[in-house]
Coordinates of all heavy atoms in Angstrom, one line a residue:
L4 N 105.1 97.8 89.1 CA 105.1 98.9 90.2 C 103.7 99.0 90.8 O 103.3 100.2 91.1 CB 105.5 100.2 89.6 CG 106.9 100.3 89.0 CD1 107.2 101.7 88.4 CD2 108.0 100.0 90.1
R5 N 102.9 97.9 91.0 CA 101.6 98.0 91.5 C 101.4 98.9 92.8 O 100.6 99.8 92.9 CB 101.0 96.7 91.7 CG 99.6 96.7 92.2 CD 99.0 95.3 92.3 NE 98.7 94.7 91.0 CZ 97.6 94.9 90.3 NH1 96.7 95.7 90.8 NH2 97.5 94.4 89.1
P6 N 102.3 98.6 93.8 CA 102.1 99.4 95.1 C 102.3 100.9 94.8 O 101.5 101.7 95.3 CB 103.2 98.8 96.0 CG 103.4 97.4 95.4 CD 103.3 97.6 93.9
E7 N 103.4 101.2 94.1 CA 103.7 102.7 93.9 C 102.6 103.3 93.0 O 102.2 104.4 93.2 CB 105.0 102.8 93.2 CG 105.4 104.3 93.1 CD 106.8 104.5 92.4 OE1 107.5 103.5 92.3 OE2 107.0 105.6 92.0
A8 N 102.1 102.5 92.0 CA 101.1 103.1 91.1 C 99.8 103.3 91.8 O 99.1 104.3 91.6 CB 100.9 102.1 89.9
T9 N 99.5 102.4 92.8 CA 98.3 102.6 93.6 C 98.4 103.9 94.5 O 97.5 104.6 94.6 CB 98.1 101.4 94.5 OG1 98.1 100.2 93.7 CG2 96.8 101.4 95.3
Y10 N 99.6 104.1 95.1 CA 99.9 105.3 95.9 C 99.7 106.6 95.0 O 99.0 107.5 95.5 CB 101.3 105.1 96.5 CG 102.0 106.4 96.8 CD1 101.7 107.1 97.9 CD2 103.1 106.8 96.0 CE1 102.4 108.3 98.3 CE2 103.8 107.9 96.3 CZ 103.5 108.7 97.4 OH 104.2 109.8 97.7
I11 N 100.3 106.6 93.8 CA 100.2 107.7 93.0 C 98.7 108.0 92.5 O 98.3 109.1 92.5 CB 101.1 107.6 91.8 CG1 102.6 107.6 92.2 CG2 100.9 108.7 90.7 CD1 103.1 109.0 92.7
L12 N 98.0 106.9 92.3 CA 96.6 107.0 91.9 C 95.8 107.7 93.1 O 95.0 108.6 92.8 CB 96.0 105.6 91.6 CG 94.5 105.6 91.3 CD1 94.2 106.5 90.1 CD2 94.1 104.1 91.0
G13 N 96.1 107.3 94.3 CA 95.5 107.9 95.5 C 95.7 109.4 95.5 O 94.8 110.2 95.8
K14 N 97.0 109.8 95.2 CA 97.3 111.2 95.3 C 96.7 112.0 94.1 O 96.2 113.1 94.3 CB 98.8 111.4 95.3 CG 99.5 110.8 96.5 CD 100.8 111.5 96.9 CE 101.9 111.7 95.8 NZ 103.1 112.3 96.4
A15 N 96.6 111.3 93.0 CA 95.9 112.0 91.8 C 94.5 112.2 92.1 O 94.0 113.3 91.8 CB 96.1 111.1 90.6
Y16 N 93.8 111.3 92.7 CA 92.4 111.5 93.2 C 92.3 112.7 94.1 O 91.4 113.6 93.9 CB 91.8 110.3 93.9 CG 91.3 109.2 93.0 CD1 91.7 107.9 93.2 CD2 90.4 109.5 92.0 CE1 91.2 106.8 92.5 CE2 89.9 108.4 91.2 CZ 90.3 107.1 91.4 OH 89.8 106.1 90.7
F17 N 93.2 112.8 95.0 CA 93.2 114.0 96.0 C 93.3 115.3 95.2 O 92.6 116.2 95.5 CB 94.4 113.8 97.0 CG 94.4 115.0 98.0 CD1 93.7 114.9 99.1 CD2 95.2 116.1 97.7 CE1 93.7 116.0 100.1 CE2 95.2 117.2 98.6 CZ 94.5 117.1 99.8
H18 N 94.2 115.3 94.2 CA 94.4 116.6 93.5 C 93.2 116.9 92.6 O 93.2 118.0 92.0 CB 95.7 116.6 92.8 CG 96.9 116.7 93.7 ND1 97.2 117.8 94.4 CD2 97.8 115.8 94.2 CE1 98.3 117.6 95.2 NE2 98.6 116.4 95.0
K19 N 92.3 116.0 92.4 CA 91.1 116.3 91.6 C 90.1 117.1 92.5 O 89.1 117.6 92.0 CB 90.5 115.0 91.1 CG 91.1 114.4 89.9 CD 91.0 115.3 88.7 CE 89.5 115.3 88.2 NZ 89.3 116.4 87.2
G20 N 90.3 117.1 93.8 CA 89.4 117.9 94.6 C 88.5 117.1 95.5 O 88.5 115.9 95.5
V21 N 87.7 117.8 96.3 CA 87.0 117.2 97.5 C 86.0 116.1 97.0 O 85.8 115.2 97.7 CB 86.3 118.3 98.3 CG1 85.2 119.0 97.5 CG2 85.8 117.8 99.6
D22 N 85.5 116.2 95.8 CA 84.6 115.2 95.3 C 85.3 113.8 95.2 O 84.6 112.8 95.1 CB 84.0 115.6 94.0 CG 83.0 116.7 94.1 OD1 82.6 117.0 95.2 OD2 82.7 117.3 93.1
F23 N 86.6 113.8 95.1 CA 87.3 112.6 94.9 C 88.1 112.1 96.2 O 88.9 111.2 96.2 CB 88.3 112.8 93.8 CG 87.7 112.9 92.4 CD1 87.3 114.2 92.0 CD2 87.4 111.8 91.6 CE1 86.6 114.3 90.8 CE2 86.8 112.0 90.4 CZ 86.4 113.2 90.0
Y24 N 87.9 112.8 97.3 CA 88.6 112.5 98.5 C 88.3 111.1 99.0 O 89.2 110.4 99.5 CB 88.3 113.5 99.7 CG 89.0 114.8 99.5 CD1 88.8 115.9 100.4 CD2 89.9 115.1 98.4 CE1 89.5 117.1 100.3 CE2 90.5 116.3 98.3 CZ 90.3 117.3 99.2 OH 91.0 118.5 99.1
D25 N 87.1 110.6 98.9 CA 86.8 109.2 99.3 C 87.6 108.2 98.5 O 88.2 107.3 99.1 CB 85.3 108.9 99.1 CG 84.4 109.5 100.2 OD1 84.8 109.3 101.4 OD2 83.3 110.0 99.9
E26 N 87.7 108.4 97.2 CA 88.5 107.5 96.4 C 90.0 107.6 96.8 O 90.7 106.6 96.8 CB 88.4 107.8 94.9 CG 87.1 107.3 94.2 CD 86.0 108.4 94.1 OE1 86.0 109.3 95.0 OE2 85.2 108.3 93.2
S27 N 90.4 108.8 97.1 CA 91.8 109.0 97.5 C 92.1 108.2 98.7 O 93.1 107.5 98.8 CB 92.0 110.5 97.7 OG 93.3 110.7 98.2
I28 N 91.2 108.3 99.7 CA 91.5 107.6 101.0 C 91.5 106.1 100.7 O 92.4 105.4 101.2 CB 90.4 107.9 102.0 CG1 90.5 109.4 102.4 CG2 90.4 107.0 103.2 CD1 89.3 110.0 103.1
T29 N 90.5 105.6 100.0 CA 90.4 104.1 99.7 C 91.6 103.6 99.0 O 92.2 102.6 99.4 CB 89.2 103.8 98.8 OG1 88.0 104.4 99.5 CG2 88.9 102.3 98.7
T30 N 92.1 104.4 98.0 CA 93.2 104.0 97.2 C 94.5 104.0 98.0 O 95.4 103.1 97.9 CB 93.3 104.8 95.9 OG1 92.0 104.9 95.3 CG2 94.3 104.2 94.9
L31 N 94.7 105.1 98.8 CA 95.9 105.2 99.6 C 96.0 104.1 100.7 O 97.1 103.6 100.9 CB 96.0 106.6 100.3 CG 96.4 107.7 99.3 CD1 96.1 109.1 100.0 CD2 97.8 107.6 98.8
L32 N 94.8 103.8 101.2 CA 94.8 102.7 102.2 C 95.2 101.3 101.5 O 95.9 100.5 102.1 CB 93.5 102.6 102.9 CG 93.1 103.7 103.9 CD1 91.7 103.6 104.4 CD2 94.1 103.8 105.1
E33 N 94.7 101.2 100.3 CA 95.1 100.0 99.5 C 96.6 100.0 99.3 O 97.2 98.9 99.4 CB 94.3 100.1 98.2 CG 94.6 98.9 97.2 CD 94.2 97.6 97.7 OE1 93.2 97.5 98.5 OE2 94.8 96.6 97.3
S34 N 97.2 101.1 99.0 CA 98.7 101.1 98.8 C 99.4 100.7 100.0 O 100.5 100.1 100.0 CB 99.1 102.5 98.2 OG 99.1 103.5 99.3
I35 N 98.9 101.1 101.2 CA 99.5 100.7 102.5 C 99.4 99.2 102.7 O 100.4 98.6 103.1 CB 98.9 101.5 103.7 CG1 99.2 103.0 103.6 CG2 99.3 100.9 105.0 CD1 98.4 103.8 104.5
K36 N 98.3 98.7 102.3 CA 98.1 97.2 102.3 C 99.1 96.5 101.5 O 99.6 95.4 101.7 CB 96.7 96.8 101.9 CG 95.7 96.7 103.0 CD 94.5 95.9 102.5 CE 93.2 96.3 103.1 NZ 92.2 96.8 102.2
L37 N 99.5 97.1 100.3 CA 100.5 96.6 99.4 C 101.9 96.9 99.9 O 102.8 96.8 99.1 CB 100.2 97.2 98.0 CG 98.9 96.8 97.3 CD1 98.7 97.6 96.1 CD2 98.9 95.3 97.0
K38 N 102.0 97.3 101.1 CA 103.3 97.6 101.8 C 104.0 98.8 101.1 O 105.2 98.9 101.1 CB 104.2 96.4 101.7 CG 103.7 95.1 102.3 CD 103.8 95.1 103.8 CE 103.5 93.8 104.4 NZ 102.0 93.5 104.5
Y39 N 103.2 99.8 100.6 CA 103.9 101.0 100.1 C 103.3 102.2 100.8 O 102.1 102.5 100.8 CB 103.6 101.1 98.6 CG 104.5 102.2 98.0 CD1 105.7 101.9 97.3 CD2 104.1 103.6 98.0 CE1 106.5 102.9 96.8 CE2 105.0 104.5 97.5 CZ 106.2 104.2 96.9 OH 107.0 105.2 96.4
S40 N 104.2 102.9 101.5 CA 103.8 104.2 102.0 C 105.0 105.1 102.0 O 106.1 104.7 102.3 CB 103.2 104.1 103.4 OG 104.2 103.8 104.4
A41 N 104.7 106.3 101.6 CA 105.8 107.3 101.5 C 105.6 108.3 102.6 O 104.6 108.2 103.4 CB 105.7 108.1 100.1
A42 N 106.5 109.3 102.8 CA 106.5 110.2 103.9 C 105.2 111.0 103.9 O 104.6 111.3 104.9 CB 107.7 111.1 103.8
D43 N 104.6 111.2 102.7 CA 103.4 112.1 102.6 C 102.1 111.3 102.6 O 101.0 111.9 102.5 CB 103.5 113.0 101.4 CG 103.6 112.3 100.1 OD1 103.5 111.1 100.1 OD2 103.6 113.0 99.0
T44 N 102.2 110.0 102.6 CA 100.9 109.2 102.6 C 100.0 109.6 103.7 O 98.8 109.8 103.4 CB 101.3 107.7 102.7 OG1 102.0 107.2 101.6 CG2 100.0 106.8 102.7
W45 N 100.5 109.7 104.9 CA 99.6 109.9 106.1 C 99.1 111.3 106.0 O 97.9 111.6 106.4 CB 100.4 109.7 107.4 CG 101.0 108.3 107.4 CD1 102.3 107.9 107.3 CD2 100.2 107.1 107.6 NE1 102.4 106.6 107.4 CE2 101.1 106.0 107.6 CE3 98.8 106.8 107.8 CZ2 100.7 104.7 107.7 CZ3 98.4 105.5 107.9 CH2 99.4 104.5 107.9
E46 N 99.9 112.3 105.5 CA 99.4 113.7 105.3 C 98.3 113.7 104.3 O 97.2 114.4 104.6 CB 100.6 114.5 104.9 CG 100.3 116.0 104.9 CD 101.5 116.9 104.5 OE1 102.6 116.3 104.4 OE2 101.3 118.1 104.3
Y47 N 98.4 113.1 103.2 CA 97.3 113.0 102.2 C 96.0 112.4 102.9 O 94.9 112.9 102.7 CB 97.7 112.2 101.0 CG 98.4 113.1 99.9 CD1 99.8 113.2 99.9 CD2 97.6 113.7 98.9 CE1 100.4 113.9 98.9 CE2 98.2 114.5 97.9 CZ 99.6 114.6 97.9 OH 100.2 115.3 96.9
L48 N 96.2 111.3 103.6 CA 95.1 110.7 104.2 C 94.4 111.6 105.3 O 93.2 111.7 105.4 CB 95.5 109.4 104.9 CG 95.7 108.2 104.0 CD1 96.5 107.1 104.7 CD2 94.3 107.6 103.5
A49 N 95.3 112.3 106.0 CA 94.7 113.3 107.0 C 94.0 114.4 106.4 O 92.9 114.8 106.8 CB 95.9 113.8 107.8
L50 N 94.5 115.0 105.3 CA 93.9 116.1 104.7 C 92.6 115.7 104.0 O 91.6 116.4 104.0 CB 94.8 116.8 103.7 CG 96.0 117.5 104.3 CD1 97.1 117.8 103.2 CD2 95.6 118.7 105.1

């Protein structure tokens, strides 16, 4: 489940707070490259 795990990792970084937003963005963009995006991927990236 590499693509999904990458997506969840990106969201987990986001929920750690603003100090982890850079990692969240990098990881979520990586999940999109792996052809995985959910309805909330763009919202997390935007926030």
Side-chain angles (χ1 to χ4, degrees):
L4 300 178
R5 177 177 292 276
E7 187 182 345
T9 306
Y10 154 77
I11 292 291
L12 176 59
K14 297 210 309 184
Y16 277 131
F17 179 88
H18 288 289
K19 281 293 292 171
V21 68
D22 290 345
F23 293 86
Y24 283 179
D25 278 319
E26 281 97 331
S27 177
I28 293 165
T29 307
T30 312
L31 286 168
L32 291 173
E33 178 63 27
S34 73
I35 293 168
K36 269 200 211 121
L37 294 169
K38 304 279 189 285
Y39 191 95
S40 71
D43 61 1
T44 296
W45 303 108
E46 189 178 349
Y47 271 93
L48 281 166
L50 292 169

